[in-house]
Amino acid sequence: MSDKTLLVLDAEPLPRLGRLTGRTRILHTDASSLAGHLPHADVLLVWDFTSRAVRDAWPGEGPRPAWVHTASAGVDHLMCPELAASDTVVTNARGVFDQPIAEYVAALVLTWAKDLPRTAELQRAHEWRHRETRRVAGTRAVVVGSGPIGQAVASTLKALGITAALVGRTARPGIHGPEDLDRLLSRADWVIAAAPLTESTHGMFDARRFGVMQPSARFVNVGRGPLVVEDALVEALSRQWIAGAALDVFEREPLPPDDPLWEVPGLVVSPHMSGDTVGWRDALGAQFVELYDLWEAGKPLLNVVDKQRGYVPGH
């Protein structure tokens, strides 16, 4: 057995770590005991990617894990100044959720365009009411976030005949910069938020941005909850500045049962599930084991996060 210690911040069900079992020392912890274990761990696997415990427990000076991996695309839940300033390497689950999220977005677009909720309502009422629906081919989408998830969303929408423009942190071939966003929003039928949460993206979809959109536009957030000023979205829907919206991520998760967002007309609420397809946890575990093999062999890790920017660079 290796003399290295792998610490796992647990969530149910526990990760299947396959060939690491019996090969390295694996310790499991919860948020309450994380701080006591961190100085003795070589690697931290943040399996509970909804927890903010790492931010509170991360040691300042002294021993700390050399590598932290989070089983999520976003890293805002664990980044803190002490971790960002340390020499600890941070990696994420880039690649696992891209296509599932893209399919989820495409499903929402088609559901709206083909008026499927109304069809289900009329069937329950035994009411035969012929209607015309909308073609998605030839419509326009703006996908904000040019990482793997945003790219997968744009590619999937293009397969439906939708013209999809990608907006990233900086302009480059095939990707628009932030300076083009308002112009693109004003012409878009579908607006998809798939950006990481950073200082520059926090609250980027506010009253002004919703006001720029067409009254027929629909908005989807599959990025991070704080990308959206939720009160501004509620106002945009109530005033019919936009035709509809879907949120899969929220400022507060889980969304409390008494939260008014549940009852907003024109808003689809889903419980942070757009990337979670059958077998997703096994895929996350397998990805971590592959990264661990690289780390143990002294080879460069994949999915290394720029801790100042808050995402994996190069896209």
Side-chain angles (χ1 to χ4, degrees), residues 96-97 99-101 103 273-283:
V96 172
F97 301 107
Q99 192 56 36
I101 291 177
E103 293 172 4
M273 59 177 282
S274 61
D276 301 347
T277 52
V278 175
W280 66 283
R281 290 185 179 87
D282 290 341

Side-chain angles (χ1 to χ4, degrees), residues 222-277:
V222 289
R224 307 297 290 170
L227 297 178
V228 176
V229 179
E230 291 175 352
D231 288 345
L233 175 59
V234 171
E235 182 181 16
L237 290 168
S238 64
R239 292 178 178 268
Q240 298 183 341
W241 293 348
I242 60 175
L247 298 179
D248 187 54
V249 285
F250 301 84
E251 281 273 7
R252 292 188 299 168
E253 295 186 10
L255 195 66
D258 60 350
D259 195 292
L261 286 174
W262 290 106
E263 303 294 337
V264 175
L267 178 62
V268 177
V269 171
S270 59
H272 204 148
M273 59 177 282
S274 61
D276 301 347
T277 52

Side-chain angles (χ1 to χ4, degrees), residues 72-84:
S72 61
V75 299
D76 50 282
H77 59 290
L78 58 86
M79 293 304 300
C80 59
E82 293 80 11
L83 175 53

Side-chain angles (χ1 to χ4, degrees), residues 281-294:
R281 290 185 179 87
D282 290 341
L284 288 172
Q287 180 188 56
F288 175 74
V289 171
E290 291 175 3
L291 290 174
Y292 193 94
D293 289 341
L294 293 174

Side-chain angles (χ1 to χ4, degrees), residues 77 92 119 136 151 153 163 177 182 188 201 209 229 251:
H77 59 290
N92 72 354
T119 296
V136 297
Q151 291 180 26
V153 170
T163 300
D182 286 355
T201 62
R209 284 264 162 72
V229 179
E251 281 273 7

Side-chain angles (χ1 to χ4, degrees), residues 95-158:
V96 172
F97 301 107
D98 308 352
Q99 192 56 36
I101 291 177
E103 293 172 4
Y104 197 88
V105 170
L108 285 168
V109 168
L110 290 171
T111 294
W112 278 320
K114 303 308 175 185
D115 199 22
L116 296 182
R118 185 64 173 149
T119 296
E121 291 174 6
L122 292 170
Q123 180 179 351
R124 285 193 293 269
H126 297 191
E127 184 175 347
W128 181 280
R129 185 183 300 179
H130 181 269
R131 300 168 337 276
E132 294 177 345
T133 62
R134 188 178 185 185
R135 287 189 62 177
V136 297
T139 60
R140 294 174 174 174
V142 175
V143 182
V144 182
S146 59
I149 292 174
Q151 291 180 26
V153 170
S155 177
T156 301
L157 295 181
K158 287 176 182 178

